[in-house]
Amino acid sequence: MTEQEAGKVAPQGFHQSGKRTVAEVLVFLLAIALLILAARGCAGCATTALVSQIPSSVDATIGKVGGEAMRAQHGVGQTPSAEDQARAARVFEELRTHLTSEEAARLVSPRLTVLSDKQANAFALPGGEVFVLTGLLDRTKDDDDALRGVMAHELGHAVRRHGVRSLVRNSVYGLVLAYVLGDMGGITATLVAGASHLDELGFSRDMEEDADAFAVDLLQRAGHTPEGLARFMESLESAPVPQILSTHPDSADRAREIRARMQKPAP
């Protein structure tokens, strides 16, 4: 190689090394920023930043682990009727067909399970695992709009990654440290370890309101009124419900907000 050729090659190699160094510095600075946010009590800010770095494939892993735990927990006892299973499946598939491509991509492994349980409840896990209890089907027996509204709300939790956010926020300090160390495997392991207890974490007020807003939008796209969801929320005021449904925000307030959203023009 001539001196002239060497002079052309050397700067190129140095330039590539410089790019790598800049990228490493930026990652390090982001990690430090996350630590500062967590240390200053801005767990929500750190959670948002961390969740944005977690691929949707992790949602599917969390949902699978949590889903198997749920099925094992409710696996003993009466099998839901074919009619109940068919009704829930019909509503589930109908709602899925009206998801945008971006929303559908969040549901990496969509699956519906109907569980025999007297509680009027439904819930969704990360990745698209959706559970409907027969108690909900009984309470909404003559009101498909109410059932559709509840299931749209639960799909909102999965699409908006609320379960992942809850898990991340619950372990934000350890996860930030793992991110600083570049241990993405450790982050995934921590989240999966908490998957079987996801139903115990609950969702924040903002998450519940976000899922309600998502449900209103999805129902209107599907050509259905969100009034059924508002009616179901009002029914929670007079009938016993599990804590996961009766917590903040107030059910009557949610019903009023749902009806207010119904009047707003579509974006």
Side-chain angles (χ1 to χ4, degrees):
M1 179 183 295
T2 66
E3 290 184 5
Q4 184 178 5
E5 290 173 332
K8 290 180 180 178
V9 173
Q12 183 180 9
F14 178 80
H15 182 60
Q16 290 176 334
S17 177
K19 282 186 175 179
R20 287 196 297 269
T21 301
V22 170
E24 290 167 357
V25 169
L26 289 175
V27 170
F28 179 74
L29 290 176
L30 175 59
I32 295 300
L34 289 173
L35 282 172
I36 293 173
L37 288 172
R40 290 186 175 181
C42 189
C45 302
T47 296
T48 298
L50 277 171
V51 170
S52 69
Q53 302 299 312
I54 298 173
S56 295
S57 58
V58 175
D59 295 39
T61 303
I62 295 170
K64 181 178 180 180
V65 173
E68 292 306 322
M70 291 295 175
R71 277 182 281 273
Q73 178 182 341
H74 293 269
V76 179
Q78 183 179 356
T79 301
S81 69
E83 180 183 2
D84 278 347
Q85 294 190 57
R87 181 185 176 212
R90 171 175 54 79
V91 172
F92 181 64
E93 293 303 326
E94 178 191 3
L95 291 173
R96 282 184 59 204
T97 61
H98 290 89
L99 293 171
T100 67
S101 57
E102 183 179 354
E103 291 166 350
R106 291 293 186 191
L107 305 183
V108 183
S109 54
R111 178 180 179 181
L112 173 71
T113 301
V114 179
L115 299 175
S116 183
D117 192 302
K118 293 182 179 180
Q119 295 184 80
N121 199 1
F123 47 91
L125 300 178
E129 285 264 10
V130 176
F131 292 82
V132 174
L133 306 189
T134 52
L136 175 65
L137 295 170
D138 289 341
R139 180 178 288 193
T140 62
K141 201 167 195 64
D142 300 318
D143 192 349
D144 270 7
D145 280 337
L147 174 63
R148 194 177 288 110
V150 173
M151 292 180 69
H153 171 92
E154 295 305 325
L155 281 173
H157 283 310
V159 170
R160 302 294 197 204
R161 306 186 79 187
H162 292 161
V164 176
R165 288 183 59 85
S166 293
L167 287 170
V168 168
R169 184 159 189 153
N170 198 50
S171 306
V172 66
Y173 298 107
L175 292 175
V176 167
L177 180 59
Y179 184 78
V180 170
L181 298 175
D183 184 13
M184 289 304 293
I187 290 176
T188 301
T190 298
L191 296 177
V192 170
S196 60
H197 304 289
L198 185 58
D199 60 319
E200 300 171 7
L201 295 179
F203 296 121
S204 69
R205 173 184 293 269
D206 287 345
M207 290 179 185
E208 292 294 352
E209 292 176 347
D210 187 32
D212 284 345
F214 176 90
V216 170
D217 182 51
L218 178 58
L219 291 167
Q220 290 179 327
R221 269 187 268 156
H224 294 288
T225 174
E227 176 62 29
L229 178 58
R231 282 198 304 273
F232 183 79
M233 291 301 168
E234 288 176 332
S235 77
L236 302 185
E237 295 291 305
S238 58
V241 293
Q243 186 179 13
I244 193 170
L245 280 179
S246 61
T247 51
H248 54 264
D250 178 76
S251 301
D253 289 342
R254 289 173 67 180
R256 283 191 290 271
E257 181 58 29
I258 288 167
R259 291 192 173 101
R261 289 184 181 280
M262 290 167 54
Q263 305 307 316
K264 295 178 182 178

